Amino acid sequence: MKLIIQIPCLNEAQTLEIALNDLPRQIEGIDSIEYLIINDGSSDNTVEVAKKWGVHYVVSFPRNRGLARGFMAGLDACLKNGADIIVNTDADNQYCGEDIARLVEPILRGEAEVVIGERPIDETAHFSPLKKKLQHLGSYVVRKASATDIPDAPSGFRAFSRDAAMRMNVINEYTYTLETIVQAGRNRMAITSVPIRTNPELRSSRLFHSMFGYVKRSMMTILRAFMMYRPLYFFTAVALIPSLIGLGIGIRFLYFYVTAGGAGHIQSLILACMLIMIGFMTFVIGLQADVIASNRKLLEDIQYHVRRLEYDDRK
């Protein structure tokens, strides 16, 4: 059983060695542990620090491509190098390395394919009260969108079985954390969470520059993932809004038509017809999106089998 721990990096020379020193060297049930960094266009000596420390693999981008693409490139490299379990952690030593043993335990027992580390958000000192509330709110929305019970959706401390990693597809370019949970939940993967500890903050987050920007981009990621995996439900809900408003206006027109002898209110009739037509067309778009989603599932299944043929031959 081989574990590869991957770390996405962007100018992490100051903190990377601290994070690497905190990682476990052996875990019960794991035969070998290897380490991989994703150099996402760093302009400092991040790669030199990693190589001097002794990481086994380095994936480098000539320019910054974003956390989501770096994450997927890391999964790809881990699979090619024979990982049975992949753990993703941060280069700023946010997460406690000893808890990796706790993170992989459900996979070793065969109880889960994806495991998310649940941070003690309310007890984390460097989280502001607003950030704590937004973390809880975001996790609640992801739980509803993904049909899972994951309490800490934004956590980047997570483990994947080999099979689950082969099924992962991240479309957005912002972050992998939310979309992968929605994908895992909607594809009925066995996903769970375990409580973990966090270390004191070494630097501020580079993922977002303002709380408003973080919320906006996170909500767009969730919305897009929900549209991809439950398009008919989404577009039907959207279609109901103009349809019901149009129906209400139409009933109002009929009331005045009957009581007033059919005179006037023609504008209400036109508006009602337009709204009902908009609702109907939105529903038709939902039907088309549902067919596209079905085709995407077939493509994902083909991609999974291609990955198995490619990666398992190299293992």
Side-chain angles (χ1 to χ4, degrees):
M1 185 66 68
K2 183 176 182 178
L3 165 66
I4 296 183
I5 302 172
Q6 70 170 37
I7 307 176
C9 297
L10 173 61
N11 297 327
E12 305 287 2
Q14 299 298 319
T15 61
L16 180 58
E17 187 172 2
I18 299 173
L20 290 169
N21 287 334
D22 196 44
L23 298 179
R25 304 297 183 269
Q26 58 183 13
I27 296 174
E28 185 176 353
I30 300 294
D31 299 314
S32 65
I33 301 176
E34 295 179 348
Y35 312 92
L36 176 147
I37 70 159
I38 304 102
N39 171 38
D40 193 13
S42 298
S43 58
D44 65 2
N45 62 331
T46 294
V47 174
E48 288 76 8
V49 171
K51 289 181 177 179
K52 182 178 179 180
W53 188 87
V55 300
H56 298 80
Y57 313 105
V58 176
V59 177
S60 283
F61 296 151
R63 60 174 296 180
N64 179 258
R65 298 179 63 184
L67 183 59
R69 290 188 179 182
F71 169 78
M72 287 304 301
L75 288 189
D76 182 65
C78 290
L79 290 168
K80 287 179 179 177
N81 287 286
D84 296 295
I85 301 176
I86 301 168
V87 166
N88 187 87
T89 188
D90 283 358
D92 60 357
N93 201 37
Q94 176 185 171
Y95 308 108
C96 183
E98 291 182 359
D99 289 338
I100 289 178
R102 186 182 300 176
L103 201 65
V104 302
E105 189 175 341
I107 297 177
L108 291 174
R109 293 199 304 261
E111 298 173 357
E113 299 171 276
V114 180
V115 184
I116 312 295
E118 177 192 351
R119 297 167 294 178
I121 293 175
D122 292 326
E123 288 76 40
T124 303
H126 61 269
F127 282 4
S128 67
L130 176 59
K131 185 173 182 178
K132 291 176 182 179
K133 291 183 183 299
L134 290 174
Q135 293 275 4
H136 287 305
L137 176 61
S139 296
Y140 171 78
V141 174
V142 172
R143 286 196 296 274
K144 293 301 179 183
S146 63
T148 65
D149 58 355
I150 301 301
D152 185 10
S155 171
F157 194 47
R158 48 187 64 191
F160 300 86
S161 69
R162 183 175 181 82
D163 190 76
M166 288 186 187
R167 295 183 183 276
M168 287 292 111
N169 286 292
V170 178
I171 305 300
N172 85 89
E173 299 181 359
Y174 177 51
T175 179
Y176 60 89
T177 56
L178 308 180
E179 185 177 340
T180 50
I181 293 177
V182 175
Q183 181 183 0
R186 291 302 171 187
N187 288 338
R188 298 187 179 276
M189 296 184 193
I191 180 171
T192 189
S193 64
V194 295
I196 60 166
R197 296 163 292 172
T198 56
N199 295 315
E201 185 180 33
L202 296 180
R203 61 161 175 78
S204 58
S205 174
R206 294 188 180 133
L207 187 60
F208 59 94
H209 300 290
S210 69
M211 196 60 66
F212 174 75
Y214 171 73
V215 172
K216 181 181 70 173
R217 299 185 75 170
S218 295
M219 293 306 296
M220 290 302 297
T221 299
I222 296 169
L223 182 63
R224 185 177 182 182
F226 194 67
M227 289 173 61
M228 288 178 59
Y229 292 97
R230 298 207 58 190
L232 185 58
Y233 180 92
F234 174 82
F235 283 103
T236 299
V238 173
L240 283 174
I241 298 172
S243 298
L244 292 176
I245 295 174
L247 184 62
I249 295 173
I251 293 173
R252 175 181 178 274
F253 169 80
L254 290 175
Y255 171 78
F256 284 113
Y257 184 85
V258 172
T259 58
H265 302 286
I266 192 68
Q267 299 93 334
S268 296
L269 177 62
I270 295 173
L271 179 60
C273 292
M274 290 179 60
L275 289 171
I276 292 173
M277 288 176 62
I278 290 171
F280 177 74
M281 287 188 292
T282 303
F283 176 72
V284 171
I285 292 173
L287 292 175
Q288 294 174 330
D290 192 57
V291 173
I292 294 172
S294 298
N295 289 331
R296 191 193 68 254
K297 289 179 182 178
L298 294 175
L299 292 174
E300 286 180 347
D301 192 55
I302 293 171
Q303 182 188 54
Y304 166 72
H305 285 91
V306 170
R307 282 174 171 174
R308 286 196 62 179
L309 289 172
E310 178 183 1
Y311 297 143
D312 288 347
D313 284 344
R314 298 183 182 187
K315 188 176 176 182

